[in-house]
Amino acid sequence: SLLDMILYYESTTYLDISDNGSMGTSSWRALAHLIKQSVCLSRLDACNVCLVDYPVQSLSKALLTSRLQVLHLNNVQLSGSSLFTLCALKTNRALLELHLSSNQLNSYQDAMQLGDLLRYNSTLQTLELSDNVLGDALEELCDGLSRQTKGLKVLILKNNQITERGMNHLAKTLLQPGLKILEVLDLGDNHLGNEGIQVIREPLMVNSSLLHLGLAQSNITCEAVALAEFLAESRLIQRLDLHQNRVKLGGLMALSLALRINCSLSHLGDEFLSETQKRLQAEITQRCKANASRL
């Protein structure tokens, strides 16, 4: 009854039905009807519910012709056949943001479905996949990303058990000359280590679109030198997040020197600094502020 009322008055732009685990078949049917018919509704949050069988089928069909622009489906048990059903979104031409965190998405079947989605959908601009288990089998996902020539601008892969092996696939994608639209890449809370940063150093230097790179809590120590080389070469990067990394003094000095050359960086997460490195911290912060004022 509530969903029918929302459709009747056509004034709702943002609907949050999260945490309603007792919704039955009739409720999901009404929601699907609302999604298909509403002109005003632009964002839907349906998190922390069980999105399997009839619910995901009805939602998927409704999304084929909906006008929704933002969809949050966090912690809804989407892994496997449910994700396959949802990926009918590859023909959707309205959705701009898709958030799928905490769904236990795995590194084989699910990564393949997501790659397929990116191959055929050129409208989606933000894809959030944080807090899943995609791991290092990113080949299919990265292949789909490499086909993006006018769509995806934000890719969030935080906390997905990715190591330096997974960076090999991503490095090849960043080297693709056609990938000129990806602006935000967040790889934080993964086990990249110094080896992973070394793998993507050169691709980052070649890439001509990235504005924000997230590497918080990625086990980076000495390879901040490699990131410093990237900063010295980049004319675009605006944010580099290095929170909760134990960067050693040599890497910190390299970052400080790089910022004497770089004129675009306006934010550098600096919680990794120790008390003995405060002078370099002050210099780095001052240069970031100077870049921000120029921008």
Side-chain angles (χ1 to χ4, degrees):
S1 300
L2 177 63
L3 294 172
D4 288 343
M5 182 179 69
I6 290 173
L7 179 59
Y8 178 82
Y9 285 105
E10 269 289 50
S11 60
T12 301
T13 59
Y14 171 25
L15 176 62
D16 188 349
I17 61 163
S18 301
D19 301 291
N20 283 287
S22 60
M23 283 178 58
T25 300
S26 59
S27 297
W28 284 104
R29 186 184 300 114
L31 178 62
H33 183 64
L34 169 63
I35 293 171
K36 287 190 291 186
Q37 299 298 323
S38 177
V39 176
C40 293
L41 190 63
S42 62
R43 172 173 170 173
L44 173 67
D45 289 9
C47 306
N48 306 318
V49 296
C50 184
L51 202 60
V52 297
D53 300 329
Y54 183 79
V56 73
Q57 293 170 15
S58 61
L59 179 62
S60 179
K61 289 180 181 179
L63 289 171
L64 293 177
T65 56
S66 79
R67 297 173 178 85
L68 280 178
Q69 295 183 342
V70 181
L71 180 60
H72 285 252
L73 299 176
N74 305 324
N75 188 29
V76 294
Q77 304 178 32
L78 263 183
S79 181
S81 60
S82 294
L83 181 64
F84 175 78
T85 303
L86 182 71
C87 280
L89 273 171
K90 56 191 174 187
T91 61
N92 179 288
R93 294 296 176 265
L95 196 66
L96 301 179
E97 296 185 21
L98 179 60
H99 299 262
L100 302 176
S101 65
S102 304
N103 277 296
Q104 290 296 307
L105 302 179
N106 62 58
S107 58
Y108 296 101
Q109 181 181 1
D110 294 338
M112 184 181 301
Q113 296 301 329
L114 293 168
D116 201 38
L117 172 64
L118 292 179
R119 287 187 190 94
Y120 296 102
N121 186 300
S122 60
T123 311
L124 197 64
Q125 295 182 4
T126 297
L127 179 59
E128 182 192 357
L129 302 171
S130 57
D131 302 316
N132 286 295
V133 286
L134 292 174
D136 292 324
L138 297 177
E139 185 173 5
E140 293 290 339
L141 180 63
C142 288
D143 181 65
L145 178 62
S146 67
R147 312 290 181 92
Q148 291 285 310
T149 57
K150 59 179 181 179
L152 199 69
K153 295 181 179 179
V154 179
L155 178 61
I156 302 176
L157 293 170
K158 292 177 61 177
N159 190 24
N160 264 282
Q161 302 181 16
I162 302 171
T163 71
E164 71 277 4
R165 292 188 295 274
M167 290 297 95
N168 290 312
H169 301 302
L170 188 59
K172 295 176 182 177
T173 302
L174 291 173
L175 286 170
Q176 293 288 334
L179 188 66
K180 297 179 179 179
I181 56 170
L182 187 66
E183 297 179 356
V184 178
L185 177 62
D186 198 332
L187 299 167
D189 300 303
N190 284 297
H191 312 296
L192 307 183
N194 297 320
E195 297 82 2
I197 300 304
Q198 191 61 41
V199 169
I200 61 172
R201 177 184 63 87
E202 184 177 345
L204 286 174
M205 295 169 67
V206 172
N207 182 270
S208 60
S209 64
L210 208 60
L211 303 178
H212 179 180
L213 178 62
L215 295 172
Q217 200 170 342
S218 299
N219 297 324
I220 302 171
T221 56
C222 58
E223 287 306 327
V225 175
L227 292 173
E229 294 177 13
F230 158 59
L231 287 179
E233 293 290 331
S234 176
R235 298 294 179 267
L236 294 172
I237 190 72
Q238 296 176 6
R239 296 175 65 88
L240 176 61
D241 191 351
L242 290 175
H243 284 98
Q244 298 180 358
N245 283 291
R246 297 182 178 180
V247 177
K248 296 181 179 179
L249 186 60
L252 189 60
M253 293 177 64
L255 288 172
S256 179
L257 291 172
L259 284 172
R260 297 179 183 179
I261 303 172
N262 180 283
C263 295
S264 64
L265 193 74
S266 60
H267 175 83
L268 177 68
D270 53 10
E271 290 181 359
F272 54 86
L273 302 177
S274 67
E275 290 299 324
T276 60
Q277 300 165 337
K278 292 300 182 181
R279 283 185 295 176
L280 286 174
Q281 176 188 18
E283 181 178 353
I284 288 174
T285 303
Q286 183 178 2
R287 295 188 182 280
C288 286
K289 288 181 178 178
N291 287 342
S293 64
R294 281 195 289 268
L295 292 173

